[in-house]
Amino acid sequence: MGSEAKGTEIQIPTSTHKHQHNPNIIDSPEYPANNNNQIELTSHYGCHDANSDRQVMLVHPHSLLPLPVPPQIFKANENHVVPPSFSVGTFLRQRSSHFSAAIVKRVSSLRQSMEENHNHDDGENHRNRHVTEFNLSGVKVVVTVKPEDEPSFKGRISFFSKSNCRDCTAVRRFFKEKGLRFVEINVDVFGERERELRDRTGGASVPQIFFNDKLIGGLVALNSLRNSGEFDRRVAEIVAGELPGDEAPAPPVYGLDYVEDDRADEMVGVVRVLRLKLAIQDRLKRMKMVKNCFEGNELVEALTQHFHCARNEAVEIGQQLSRKHFIHHVFGENDFEEGNHLYRFLEHEPFIPRCFNFRGTTNDSEPKTAAAICTRLTKIMSAILESYASDDRQHVDYEAISKSEEFRRYVNMIHDLQRVNLLELSENEKLAFFLNLHNAMVIHAVISVGCPEGVIDRRSFFSDFQYVVGGHPYSLNIIKNGILRCNRRSPYSLIKPFSTGDKRLEVALVKLNPLLHFGLCNGTKSSPKVRFFSPHRVVDELRVAAREFFEKDGIEVDLEKRTVYLSRIFKWFSGDFGQEKEILLWIINYLNPNKAGLVTHLMGDCGPVHISYKNFDWSINS
């Protein structure tokens, strides 16, 4: 082993030394190797080289360094025991063991010191000491004193609300700022509670605030209490008062969804008979093995035999079943025809296992209108965001959403999408419907399968998570590129989402609106914030979304470098916005006066303008 002394390397032969009680012996396992670490010298021992007058300075090694291991060239000792070879794993384990012991020792001494100080310090100093901080080599440890338990509420603050209500938002924000626990009963989500609201208040206006069973009133009454100083006294009464009785509004609990009109489909009796009568089996067709199907002739025979109807009436029934998405042609060629054409029930489609809004059987209820489903979806998801997202909607608490009763009701509601008729929607209604559906599916996907971390996971996330809507599968990619972007290729893809003959082409938008990109949230920090749209104001709301996106960090202008920094969305979907100069001209319409002036200045002085695209942050927006 080498040691440095006055710039000269000294070799100390071990064969001429016996292992006695000599502190100068450096190959003893009782002392770790120096290892050239920078360690403060605590004591020195002198010895002289046999061939010179140079003095060798030996140092006590540091206690945290690993034990020495003799090199392989050393001979066996007198007992013929071969020293162990060097091992990286052993080195790390020993180092970790010594280091852990040092931390435990330091923490124990610190705890003892804190207890001694606690006994000698006065009460005021003890109350002011909340955090103790100390440092170890390479480790920072912070000890936080656990706060005393806050007094628990014996009473209950609750209020009735509705989605997208400004007064309800103000009440909610006030309670949060005060740090008060409260129960919110959103009658748009829990429709069965609306009658209770009317009985308690004599009307349906919201918000309506209750302290236990006592009605306080709406936002005006709350402001009156706050301004007069009476609010704090009333809250103190709730804290120290009695537990709320049965007369107080109860928190929302697990229960049946409120539905105004939920009746069975008029064709459900026919479908149940066919499910029992038809022979569902695999068949060879066009050199393909088609699974879980039946022939059109078999359906006609079953109907004529069981219902004693004519064959043309049976064919008409089959066509009606197809239009209502109970059955489909396996190749999508027709609605229904008598013959050897192959058909499937919806529950036997191969895409069904990937659809997260299908639970074993087809929803046999009478299909609700697409507009009604869109309204219900928007109200529930808006209520979820108001309760479990930040005020700016940039951060979403997915874990809290997954445990909420509101989300459970959303999961129940999306079963109505299975056989909905999308062709009845107008162009703006389809735009709002699929924008809202996309954003709701993202929240559901993050909760169910997690946030994608890599390129492969993202591709699976946007393609494999699906709903069955109107009898056909819809993924996030299909909704974005197939429906909203009018069946255009996605970035880095060579094929369009829908091939010729795909029934979903009938649903795709006719005209592309580039503003749609600012209404779609994919659950990441760089995407636009999550929001939901109303069918009658969707275009105006998209303009607002675009302005907010550019106001945040969608664009940056550097006059010195003559460079405009844009979101990478504009690079991926450049075909939707036009060439680079066209993009800047389009963007100016949605910028605030300051940024619009900078861009106009760059484009108006006849100099070159460079466009650079910022990196996209794919981390989750939680």
Side-chain angles (χ1 to χ4, degrees):
M1 175 177 178
S3 175
E4 292 185 2
K6 298 182 181 180
T8 306
E9 183 177 357
I10 306 298
Q11 297 289 339
I12 302 179
T14 58
S15 60
T16 60
H17 296 273
K18 298 296 182 181
H19 291 203
Q20 300 175 354
H21 299 288
N22 189 344
N24 298 335
I25 301 300
I26 64 173
D27 64 336
S28 171
E30 298 177 359
Y31 296 97
N34 190 355
N35 214 20
N36 291 332
N37 285 321
Q38 295 179 356
I39 303 175
E40 182 179 356
L41 302 181
T42 56
S43 62
H44 299 272
Y45 298 89
C47 67
H48 294 277
D49 189 285
N51 299 324
S52 67
D53 295 333
R54 291 173 294 182
Q55 186 178 16
V56 179
M57 305 302 296
L58 299 180
V59 188
H60 271 310
H62 198 280
S63 62
L64 296 184
L65 292 177
L67 296 176
V69 179
Q72 294 285 347
I73 60 174
F74 278 15
K75 295 181 181 180
N77 56 22
E78 293 180 353
N79 296 328
H80 302 287
V81 178
V82 180
S85 60
F86 177 76
S87 170
V88 175
T90 303
F91 174 85
L92 294 177
R93 284 193 297 271
Q94 291 174 347
R95 185 181 181 92
S96 175
S97 176
H98 288 294
F99 195 61
S100 300
I103 291 178
V104 172
K105 182 178 179 180
R106 186 67 180 271
V107 171
S108 300
S109 62
L110 178 66
R111 182 184 300 168
Q112 182 179 1
S113 176
M114 291 176 62
E115 292 176 353
E116 293 176 356
N117 292 336
H118 176 269
N119 295 331
H120 293 87
D121 289 347
D122 55 29
E124 182 177 358
N125 293 334
H126 174 68
R127 287 193 298 270
N128 293 334
R129 187 174 65 249
H130 295 294
V131 177
T132 302
E133 180 177 322
F134 60 97
N135 292 287
L136 295 175
S137 177
V139 176
K140 182 178 180 180
V141 181
V142 177
V143 178
T144 304
V145 179
K146 183 178 179 180
E148 297 181 359
D149 294 336
E150 299 180 357
S152 59
F153 271 65
K154 293 185 179 180
R156 179 188 304 145
I157 299 176
S158 54
F159 77 98
F160 289 85
S161 67
K162 289 184 178 180
S163 301
N164 299 317
C165 171
R166 292 184 179 181
D167 289 354
C168 297
T169 300
V171 171
R172 188 185 306 110
R173 184 178 294 124
F174 173 76
F175 287 152
K176 288 182 178 179
E177 290 174 354
K178 285 286 189 177
L180 300 174
R181 294 193 299 272
F182 61 92
V183 173
E184 181 175 355
I185 308 168
N186 190 311
V187 295
D188 285 335
V189 179
F190 309 104
E192 66 274 14
R193 305 293 295 272
E194 187 171 0
R195 176 176 295 180
E196 177 186 351
L197 171 64
R198 293 179 181 274
D199 293 341
R200 288 180 177 274
T201 65
S205 62
V206 292
Q208 293 295 336
I209 306 168
F210 286 81
F211 285 0
N212 288 335
D213 59 338
K214 296 180 180 179
L215 173 63
I216 301 300
L219 181 61
V220 175
L222 179 64
N223 287 331
S224 178
L225 286 177
R226 180 179 59 180
N227 295 334
S228 63
E230 186 72 9
F231 178 82
D232 294 334
R233 186 187 68 81
R234 299 289 293 271
V235 170
E237 291 179 354
I238 292 181
V239 172
E242 298 179 355
L243 296 175
D246 296 336
E247 296 181 357
V253 295
Y254 182 92
L256 298 177
D257 295 343
Y258 174 76
V259 288
E260 297 179 355
D261 186 13
D262 190 9
R263 61 181 186 274
D265 192 287
E266 60 182 358
M267 302 297 296
V268 68
V270 177
V271 173
R272 290 172 180 170
V273 170
L274 293 176
R275 286 171 178 160
L276 295 175
K277 294 288 185 179
L278 293 176
I280 309 299
Q281 57 188 0
D282 300 344
R283 303 165 192 262
L284 184 63
K285 187 77 170 182
R286 300 179 184 177
M287 304 299 294
K288 289 184 179 181
M289 183 58 68
V290 183
K291 295 186 176 181
N292 300 325
C293 59
F294 58 88
E295 290 186 353
N297 287 329
E298 297 172 349
L299 183 142
V300 172
E301 290 293 336
L303 290 177
T304 54
Q305 292 179 10
H306 187 83
F307 295 101
H308 306 288
C309 60
R311 299 188 70 86
N312 60 339
E313 293 177 345
V315 172
E316 186 177 346
I317 293 175
Q319 293 173 349
Q320 191 172 357
L321 293 175
S322 178
R323 287 192 295 269
K324 289 200 169 188
H325 303 294
F326 281 111
I327 63 173
H328 284 150
H329 192 286
V330 295
F331 301 117
E333 295 177 351
N334 55 61
D335 289 339
F336 182 80
E337 293 181 3
E338 185 179 3
N340 60 353
H341 301 282
L342 298 183
Y343 300 89
R344 283 196 193 99
F345 284 107
L346 178 61
E347 58 265 28
H348 296 151
E349 292 283 4
F351 57 78
I352 284 298
R354 297 193 298 272
C355 295
F356 282 74
N357 67 327
F358 196 94
R359 292 188 300 190
T361 59
T362 304
N363 185 354
D364 290 339
S365 299
E366 181 70 22
K368 298 178 177 61
T369 63
I373 294 176
C374 182
T375 300
R376 173 76 172 155
L377 182 149
T378 302
K379 288 181 178 180
I380 293 180
M381 294 309 300
S382 296
I384 287 175
L385 293 181
E386 288 168 353
S387 298
Y388 306 108
S390 59
D391 291 339
D392 59 2
R393 305 293 175 89
Q394 298 291 343
H395 305 284
V396 181
D397 190 346
Y398 293 99
E399 182 178 358
I401 293 175
S402 66
K403 301 175 182 178
S404 67
E405 176 65 12
E406 293 91 336
F407 182 70
R408 189 194 70 83
R409 303 237 172 166
Y410 164 78
V411 172
N412 285 346
M413 184 273 301
I414 57 180
H415 294 266
D416 293 334
L417 294 168
Q418 294 177 9
R419 299 190 300 108
V420 66
N421 182 11
L422 299 175
L423 297 178
E424 65 186 13
L425 295 172
S426 65
E427 194 78 354
N428 282 347
E429 287 175 337
K430 280 192 288 188
L431 177 60
F433 180 91
F434 282 102
L435 285 172
N436 294 344
L437 182 61
H438 177 280
N439 293 342
M441 285 178 65
V442 167
I443 295 176
H444 192 180
V446 171
I447 292 173
S448 298
V449 302
C451 184
E453 297 181 356
V455 177
I456 297 177
D457 292 338
R458 286 197 292 271
R459 184 164 307 204
S460 175
F461 181 87
F462 293 109
S463 298
D464 293 346
F465 186 89
Q466 299 178 1
Y467 282 0
V468 52
V469 184
H472 300 283
Y474 287 85
S475 65
L476 295 171
N477 269 336
I478 290 295
I479 292 175
K480 182 174 184 176
N481 301 301
I483 302 298
L484 297 175
R485 297 185 62 235
C486 309
N487 198 30
R488 298 194 179 192
R489 288 187 288 268
S490 61
Y492 314 113
S493 178
L494 300 178
I495 59 175
K496 294 182 178 181
F498 301 143
S499 59
T500 304
D502 196 314
K503 293 290 185 180
R504 292 171 292 184
L505 270 175
E506 302 176 8
V507 185
L509 294 179
V510 177
K511 184 179 179 180
L512 184 144
N513 186 344
L515 290 171
L516 68 91
H517 293 286
F518 309 107
L520 294 175
C521 177
N522 57 21
T524 62
K525 292 183 178 179
S526 287
S527 73
K529 70 179 185 181
V530 58
R531 64 178 75 218
F532 295 87
F533 302 88
S534 57
H536 303 295
R537 301 191 306 272
V538 60
V539 177
D540 293 334
E541 291 170 348
L542 282 174
R543 293 193 184 103
V544 174
R547 293 189 183 98
E548 291 184 1
F549 180 76
F550 290 120
E551 184 70 24
K552 182 194 170 196
D553 57 0
I555 184 173
E556 295 177 8
V557 182
D558 191 331
L559 289 179
E560 295 182 359
K561 297 182 180 180
R562 301 189 61 83
T563 301
V564 178
Y565 297 91
L566 296 177
S567 169
R568 198 162 287 268
I569 293 174
F570 291 95
K571 181 179 181 181
W572 292 330
F573 302 98
S574 58
D576 298 351
F577 298 98
Q579 300 299 323
E580 290 188 344
K581 289 187 177 181
E582 295 175 350
I583 290 177
L584 295 180
L585 289 173
W586 184 87
I587 288 176
I588 288 177
N589 298 318
Y590 304 98
L591 300 180
N592 60 37
N594 184 29
K595 291 184 178 180
L598 294 177
V599 175
T600 304
H601 174 73
L602 286 179
M603 298 183 64
D605 60 2
C606 300
V609 180
H610 307 289
I611 294 181
S612 179
Y613 299 99
K614 298 186 289 187
N615 291 331
F616 198 89
D617 188 352
W618 287 100
S619 55
I620 188 173
N621 61 340
S622 60

